[in-house]
Amino acid sequence: MVGPAVKREAVAHLQAVMGLSERRACSIVGADRKMVRYQSCRRPETELRGRLRNLANERRRFGYRRLFILLRREGEPSGVNRIYRLYREEGLTVRKRRSRRRAVGTRAPILVEAKANARWSLDFVHDQFACGRRFRVLNIVDDVTRECLAAIPDTSISGRRVARELTGLVARRGKPGMIVSDHGTEFTSNAILAWSKDHRVEWHYIAPGKPMQNGYVESFNGRMRDELLNESLFFGLDHARSAIAEWVEDFNTTRPHSSLGYQTPAAFAGLLAATANPVAQHAPQGVTQTDEALIAAG
């Protein structure tokens, strides 16, 4: 038995079930009688506990740090240590899912210029509807601002469809300096090669079997899998589109991002756009602080 609370329960059990005196029960358990009689003077903090539980139920894959950021946005003055104590006492610890593989070897950050549209990353993530039919989601991420520029779910996405989506995205946001992807058939098709040549956008393919060379979108895929796909049951394509669009909007504008100092991607993008110096003052890990920096991909 470790901890005062467990020892108090053991002493109370011995007294109630076996009829022992407090002195005898404390002697058996090895507890101090003052500790057993102690009554906490700490406030119950019922309202804060309730709000913390509600946030944890809404964001079931958020840890105490992100919950603390959300509470602080609402005006809660409590420090992170108090939030962590209540988080533990309420039993809100996120259960870790066992990973299938572990990364080995050294890790080197991929260098990109610290400005929006310096580099985009593309990748697919797969899931299935309640009926068992599978679908896929094309994710496009800005490597610097960490914004999800597009998340397109469909039962089939060809190279021509990828080219059309990129054309529309370029019209809305502007042309990227580079696009990075793996060697999937959609990304190596003639449609993508022609699109890259026509729009004069450099397309970089990562080395086979090296997904961490495309780590930004892989990380985003993991967050989407953990916080949305594994937590939701989709009943059709329309349902998936609406749910994914809502989650992407929340990811860009509400969800604190740890690599950006717990800012949201939209807030960090606004900070980059507002600074007179085009180079970010506090660039995320893997982003260079010089205008002349080139991307070291692979």
Side-chain angles (χ1 to χ4, degrees):
M1 292 175 290
V2 180
V6 179
K7 291 185 177 182
R8 289 194 194 98
E9 293 177 0
V11 170
H13 176 77
L14 291 177
Q15 289 180 289
V17 176
M18 304 187 66
L20 300 181
S21 66
E22 182 186 85
R23 185 188 302 273
R24 179 62 175 163
C26 289
S27 176
I28 294 175
V29 174
D32 189 276
R33 296 178 67 189
K34 292 181 180 180
M35 181 269 292
V36 173
R37 296 179 179 181
Y38 173 76
Q39 298 292 330
S40 175
C41 300
R42 183 176 288 163
R43 295 178 299 172
E45 299 174 323
T46 306
E47 184 177 353
L48 179 56
R49 289 174 183 268
R51 183 55 186 153
L52 184 61
R53 284 195 303 270
N54 291 337
L55 281 177
N57 289 331
E58 294 174 5
R59 314 277 186 164
R60 291 187 290 180
R61 301 303 300 175
F62 276 21
Y64 76 93
R65 292 184 181 88
R66 285 195 172 89
L67 295 178
F68 165 71
I69 296 296
L70 297 180
L71 287 172
R72 183 57 66 87
R73 288 180 185 173
E74 297 177 357
E76 172 58 44
S78 300
V80 66
N81 291 334
R82 174 181 292 180
I83 299 302
Y84 178 65
R85 174 176 59 81
L86 299 179
Y87 179 83
R88 292 291 300 272
E89 291 177 0
E90 294 296 322
L92 302 176
T93 305
V94 177
R95 182 179 179 181
K96 294 183 179 180
R97 296 189 173 102
R98 183 177 297 178
S99 59
R100 294 183 179 179
R101 61 178 65 178
R102 295 179 179 271
V104 295
T106 60
R107 297 180 179 179
I110 302 175
L111 302 179
V112 294
E113 191 175 354
K115 67 177 184 180
N117 288 346
R119 169 172 164 167
W120 295 353
S121 296
L122 278 67
D123 199 12
F124 286 98
V125 63
H126 298 77
D127 201 46
Q128 64 182 14
F129 301 121
C131 63
R133 186 181 184 186
R134 299 191 63 82
F135 70 96
R136 60 199 325 210
V137 184
L138 171 64
N139 288 328
I140 305 176
V141 176
D142 189 306
D143 288 354
V144 174
T145 66
R146 304 299 201 276
E147 293 174 286
C148 176
L149 307 182
I152 302 103
D154 211 332
T155 54
S156 178
I157 301 179
S158 63
R160 292 183 179 180
R161 173 72 180 280
V162 174
R164 290 199 305 270
E165 296 293 344
L166 288 174
T167 301
L169 186 58
V170 168
R172 295 192 305 269
R173 185 179 174 89
K175 188 171 65 174
M178 175 183 285
I179 294 179
V180 180
S181 72
D182 56 22
H183 288 80
T185 55
E186 301 84 4
F187 302 136
T188 57
S189 63
N190 291 331
I192 290 299
L193 297 178
W195 183 92
S196 175
K197 182 178 179 180
D198 294 341
H199 289 78
R200 297 181 180 179
V201 174
E202 182 181 358
W203 198 293
H204 176 79
Y205 295 100
I206 64 174
K210 301 291 184 181
M212 282 310 300
Q213 292 183 6
N214 204 13
Y216 295 108
V217 72
E218 292 287 350
S219 175
F220 175 81
N221 290 346
R223 301 285 71 75
M224 174 180 280
R225 172 74 62 189
D226 187 44
E227 298 176 12
L228 176 66
L229 301 182
N230 287 348
E231 299 289 323
S232 305
L233 186 63
F234 302 109
F235 297 100
L237 188 57
D238 291 338
H239 181 207
R241 285 171 175 167
S242 61
I244 290 174
E246 182 179 352
W247 183 84
V248 168
E249 178 67 19
D250 179 82
F251 180 89
N252 287 336
T253 60
T254 304
R255 183 187 186 276
H257 205 297
S258 58
S259 66
L260 302 179
Y262 290 99
Q263 300 180 78
T264 64
F268 184 76
L271 180 64
L272 284 181
T275 53
N277 188 347
V279 181
Q281 299 299 323
H282 299 283
Q285 183 179 7
V287 177
T288 61
Q289 295 282 355
T290 59
D291 288 330
E292 297 78 14
L294 298 179
I295 299 171

